[in-house]
């Protein structure tokens, strides 16, 4: 069992590791994308810097050229003024100079116009570059703020996770200390058990010697005294009641309970597997919420929706089989009639698997043909294709061997006792094969889920459904492993205990003879109980002698005694009438009490006050009757004090019997009142007892569920602890890389700011 639990834990760890690997790949892709984006932004910044520098150089050259042109224009204007002054002296020279100045002016104006247009174009380009630089700077600042907020959130998550994991580590350390103390106590108990086993072995040797001597004596007695030996005939010997092995029956019931628990785990895991497979068919490769799935997948999901009607009867059949194994019965294959019903339920589930197998295979083939299916995903689908065929084949084997085990209870000639061990060993081998197939399915499906997460159209619903299927397959694998190890460990006990019969019986027992044997066993048990009943209580010898002397002394006056008897009979009749009267009143009071109880429901205080009042009223009535009887008894004593001896003796006897009758009536009334009171208390206690038993059953079930949840949560805690540690390391690495990229981007932004400030200063100077 420990190996199976470790194996289940390792499988859970493998699943978590595969999930974390997938998450790691996604995070790596994100980091690579961020690095690529940062590299592209760096290149863009370099290009912008180069363009700005070129524009600045062109701007400087243009400004220098403009200054030269302005100086040239000033010189030309001065020359024009001089030429105009000289024009007054000579008209011819004026005409020639005016012509020259007009030509020069037109040339200069055209050149100036071109330079002005070029200057305007350069100003426009510079303005556009400046606007683009400001926009890029704003984008980088907003992105820097977003990254800073993400870093703060990641740091908060890391702090919370570290705090949580420190708490869990402390809890686990405390649990470890407790387990160490428990292991020490168990070692001490083991030492004590070893000493006890040595003592028991010594006692066993002594008992074997004593039993050997008694066996020889009993064999001699049997050979001498037994006239007919029915064990020689197998037909007669089948009707003999075998020796009741209570320990064997308790062991079989315990094993049946364990098997029922394992079957319940398998049933829940199968239900979850079929249900989540139905959800997966409706999601991938085509989502039924957005588009219509293929008719094949529709039929497949329709069949999968009916899985509960085939899987639930397995649990019910195992429960009926467990309830049929009790301490009083003789459990052999001939008497386990409920095994036939379990075999039929297994056959119906096998038919369900055969019905859905072709649809499942075609669904996998259709998924391979879709455009989203890669080569690796297609290979995983084909592996699952083969695994599903193997799973149906192993269920067919299990059904064959279980139906063979059910044959002795219906057709005894179908399976011989010599083949019992062969059938049990094959069942154990089939269960181990079932476990191996489920391990392969879990491995291949985890790989398939990891590949499906990388598909670009993969949704969160598909990822959660894959996780649910993986958890159900893991639970199915764990349950199959537990069942296989349980069956192989108890294989010898099954083959020996389920094949024993009457003493000396070597042939097969028919179901009819087994039923007759169980009836004879019940009769024998009833006969032994009747022998153990205690005898009725008798009067002690000394008390009988004293009563005889009293009777002999009282036979002297028969007539007086006859009169006294007649009077006592009359009084008894009156007392019986009074008793009937009081019984009617008690019934009326009882009816009133029930009505009050119905009104008050479960109020115990009202019930107690009424019973106390009844208890206080009855002794008062009895005391009054005692006083009246004492007064009536005193008066005849005074009147008969002067009578002769005979009359005085008769009066004494009469008073004695009267007092005795009064005492008996008072005791009778007290007993009636107490019986009514105790009857009411017993009914209330019976109700409380039934409620307490119900609460006890519910609490035991809750305790079982709580213990199961504790073990499951401990396993999940270990796995989540390891996964969270891996995630923390990955997140810390990712945060370090993010911080590095942020520092780099901040430096680049600072350089850009400095460059922009320098450019703005240059522009102002210009």
């Amino acid at each position: 069992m420990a190996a199976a639990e470790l194996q289940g834990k390792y499988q859970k760890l493998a699943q978590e590791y595969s999930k974390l690997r997938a998450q790691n790949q996604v995070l790596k892709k994100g980091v690579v994308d961020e690095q690529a984006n940062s590299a592209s932004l760096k290149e863009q910044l370099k290009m912008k810097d180069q363009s700005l520098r070129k524009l600045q150089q062109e701007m400087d050259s243009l400004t220098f050229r403009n200054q030269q042109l302005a100086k040239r224009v000033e010189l030309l204007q001065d020359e024009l003024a001089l030429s105009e002054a000289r024009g007054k002296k000579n008209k011819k020279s004026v005409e020639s100079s005016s012509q020259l100045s007009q030509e020069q002016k037109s040339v200069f104006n055209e050149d100036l116009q071109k330079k002005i247009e070029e200057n305007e174009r350069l100003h426009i380009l510079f303005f556009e570059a400046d606007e683009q630089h400001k926009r890029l700077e704003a984008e980088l600042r907003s992105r820097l703020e977003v990254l800073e907020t993400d870093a703060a959130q990641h740091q908060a998550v890391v702090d919370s996770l570290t705090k949580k994991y420190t708490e869990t580590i402390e809890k686990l350390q405390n649990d470890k200390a407790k387990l160490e103390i428990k292991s020490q106590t168990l070692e001490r108990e083991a030492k004590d058990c070893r000493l006890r086993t040595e003592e028991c072995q010594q006692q066993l040797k002594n008992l074997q010697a004593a039993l050997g001597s008694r066996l020889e004596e009993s064999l001699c007695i049997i050979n001498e005294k037994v006239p007919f030996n029915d064990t020689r005939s197998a037909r007669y010997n089948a009707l003999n009641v075998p020796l009741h092995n209570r320990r064997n029956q308790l062991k079989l019931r315990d094993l049946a309970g364990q098997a029922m628990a394992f079957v319940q785990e398998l049933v829940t895991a199968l239900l979850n597997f079929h249900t989540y497979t139905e959800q997966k068919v409706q999601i991938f490769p085509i989502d039924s919420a957005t588009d219509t799935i293929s008719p094949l997948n529709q039929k497949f999901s329709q069949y999968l929706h009916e899985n509960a009607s085939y899987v639930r009867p397995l649990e019910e059949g195992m429960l009926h089989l467990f309830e049929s194994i009790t301490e009083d019965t003789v459990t052999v294959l001939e008497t386990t009639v409920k095994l036939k019903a379990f075999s039929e339920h297994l056959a119906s589930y096998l038919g369900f698997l055969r019905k859905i197998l072709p649809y499942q295979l075609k669904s996998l083939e259709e998924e391979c043909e879709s455009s989203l299916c890669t080569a690796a995903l297609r290979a995983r689908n084909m592996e699952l294709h083969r695994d599903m065929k193997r799973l149906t084949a192993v269920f067919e084997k299990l059904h064959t061997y279980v139906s063979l085990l059910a044959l002795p209870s219906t057709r005894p000639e179908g399976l011989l006792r010599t083949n019992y061990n062969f059938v049990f060993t094959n069942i154990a081998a089939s269960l181990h094969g079932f476990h191996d197939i489920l391990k392969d399915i879990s491995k291949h499906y985890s790989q398939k889920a990891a590949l499906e997460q990388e598909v670009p159209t993969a949704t969160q619903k598909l990822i959660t459904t894959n996780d649910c299927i993986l958890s159900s397959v893991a639970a199915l694998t764990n349950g199959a492993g537990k069942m296989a190890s349980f069956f192989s460990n108890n294989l010898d006990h099954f083959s020996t205990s389920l094949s024993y019969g009457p003493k000396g019986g070597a042939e097969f027992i028919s179901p009819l003879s087994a039923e007759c044997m169980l009836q004879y066993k019940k009769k024998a048990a009833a006969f032994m109980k009747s022998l153990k009943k205690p005898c009725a209580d008798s009067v002690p010898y000394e008390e009988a002698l004293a009563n005889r002397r009293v009777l002999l002394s009282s036979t002297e006056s028969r007539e007086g005694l006859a009169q006294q008897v007649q009077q006592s009979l009359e009084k008894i009749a009156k007392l019986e009438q009074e008793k009937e009267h009081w019984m009617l009143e008690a019934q009326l009071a009882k009816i009133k009490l029930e009505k009050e109880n119905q009104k008050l429901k479960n109020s115990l205080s009202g019930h107690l006050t009424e019973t106390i009042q009844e208890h206080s009223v009855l002794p008062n009535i009895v005391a009054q009757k005692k006083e009246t009887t004492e007064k009536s008894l005193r008066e005849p004593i005074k009147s008969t004090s002067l009578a002769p001896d005979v009359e005085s003796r008769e009066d004494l006897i009469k008073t004695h019997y009267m007092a005795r009758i009064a005492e008996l009536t008072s005791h009778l009334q007290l007993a009636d009142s107490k019986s009514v009171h105790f009857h009411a208390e017993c009914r209330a206690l019976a109700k409380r007892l039934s409620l307490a038993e119900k609460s006890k059953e519910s609490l035991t079930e809750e305790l079982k569920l709580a213990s199961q949840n504790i073990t499951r949560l401990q396993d999940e805690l270990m796995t989540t602890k390891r996964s969270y540690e891996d995630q923390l390391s990955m997140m810390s690495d990712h945060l370090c890389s993010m911080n590095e990229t942020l520092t780099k981007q901040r430096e680049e932004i600072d350089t850009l700011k400095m460059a922009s400030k320098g450019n703005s200063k240059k522009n102002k100077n210009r």
Side-chain angles (χ1 to χ4, degrees), residues 16 130 239 273 282 433 442 454 540 568 581 606 716:
E16 293 291 333
D130 194 9
L239 299 173
F273 178 68
Q282 293 180 357
S442 177
E454 297 175 358
S568 64
H581 173 68
E716 289 180 357

Side-chain angles (χ1 to χ4, degrees), residues 258-475:
Q258 293 179 20
M260 184 181 68
F262 294 145
V263 169
Q264 286 175 351
E265 289 182 8
L266 286 174
V267 164
T268 53
L270 284 170
L271 286 171
N272 292 331
F273 178 68
H274 290 313
T275 305
Y276 292 134
T277 306
E278 179 189 355
Q279 292 180 8
K280 174 71 181 300
V281 167
Q282 293 180 357
I283 293 170
F284 190 79
I286 299 171
D287 194 353
S288 61
T290 58
D291 198 357
T292 57
I293 60 176
S294 64
L296 176 71
N297 285 331
Q298 288 178 3
K299 198 71 174 176
F300 183 36
S301 63
Q302 182 182 355
Y303 285 149
L304 285 172
H305 192 69
E306 301 170 357
N307 66 84
S309 60
Y310 296 98
V311 180
R312 288 288 183 193
L314 293 174
E315 183 179 358
E316 295 174 0
M318 197 66 199
L319 179 62
H320 292 319
L321 180 61
F322 170 70
E323 290 174 352
S324 66
I325 299 171
T326 59
E327 185 183 347
D328 299 330
T329 58
V330 178
T331 303
V332 290
L333 286 177
E334 293 80 15
T335 58
T336 53
V337 184
K338 300 295 182 180
L339 190 61
K340 179 68 176 174
F342 180 74
S343 174
E344 291 174 354
H345 295 321
L346 187 60
S348 66
Y349 180 66
L350 178 60
F352 171 71
L353 288 179
R354 287 172 179 167
K355 183 170 69 173
I356 66 170
L357 179 63
Y359 292 98
Q360 195 165 15
L361 301 179
K362 290 289 184 182
S363 177
L364 288 170
E365 292 172 0
E366 184 178 344
E367 186 177 340
C368 291
E369 292 174 358
S370 66
S371 60
L372 299 173
C373 188
T374 60
L377 187 59
R378 193 175 294 109
R380 299 291 86 77
N381 285 333
M382 295 312 294
E383 287 174 352
L384 285 173
H385 192 281
R386 291 190 292 271
D387 292 337
M388 291 303 168
K389 289 181 180 179
R390 291 168 59 201
L391 183 65
T392 308
V394 81
F395 266 105
E396 288 177 355
K397 282 185 182 179
L398 283 172
H399 170 252
T400 303
Y401 293 125
V402 171
S403 60
L404 283 174
L405 285 180
L407 281 176
S409 61
T410 55
R411 289 191 296 112
E413 68 276 4
L415 183 66
L416 299 175
R417 283 200 173 191
T418 54
N419 296 326
Y420 283 3
N421 195 10
F422 175 73
V423 175
F424 283 123
T425 51
N426 282 324
I427 288 175
S430 299
L431 288 172
H432 282 291
F434 179 48
H435 182 227
D436 295 335
I437 291 167
L438 287 174
K439 284 197 289 186
D440 293 338
I441 290 173
S442 177
K443 175 184 173 183
H444 296 152
Y445 212 98
S446 62
Q447 295 173 357
K448 174 180 165 64
L451 291 171
E452 285 179 354
Q453 286 181 2
E454 297 175 358
V455 175
T457 59
T459 60
Q460 187 63 35
K461 191 175 181 182
L462 176 63
I463 295 168
T464 54
T465 306
N466 283 333
D467 292 338
C468 293
I469 291 173
L470 284 172
S471 63
S472 63
V473 172

Side-chain angles (χ1 to χ4, degrees), residues 17 132 171 234 242 310 315 396 478 490 529 622 713 726 761:
Y17 179 70
Q132 191 174 3
K171 288 181 182 178
Y310 296 98
E315 183 179 358
E396 288 177 355
N478 291 331
N490 298 296
K529 285 181 181 179
V622 173
L713 288 170
D726 297 334
K761 286 180 181 179

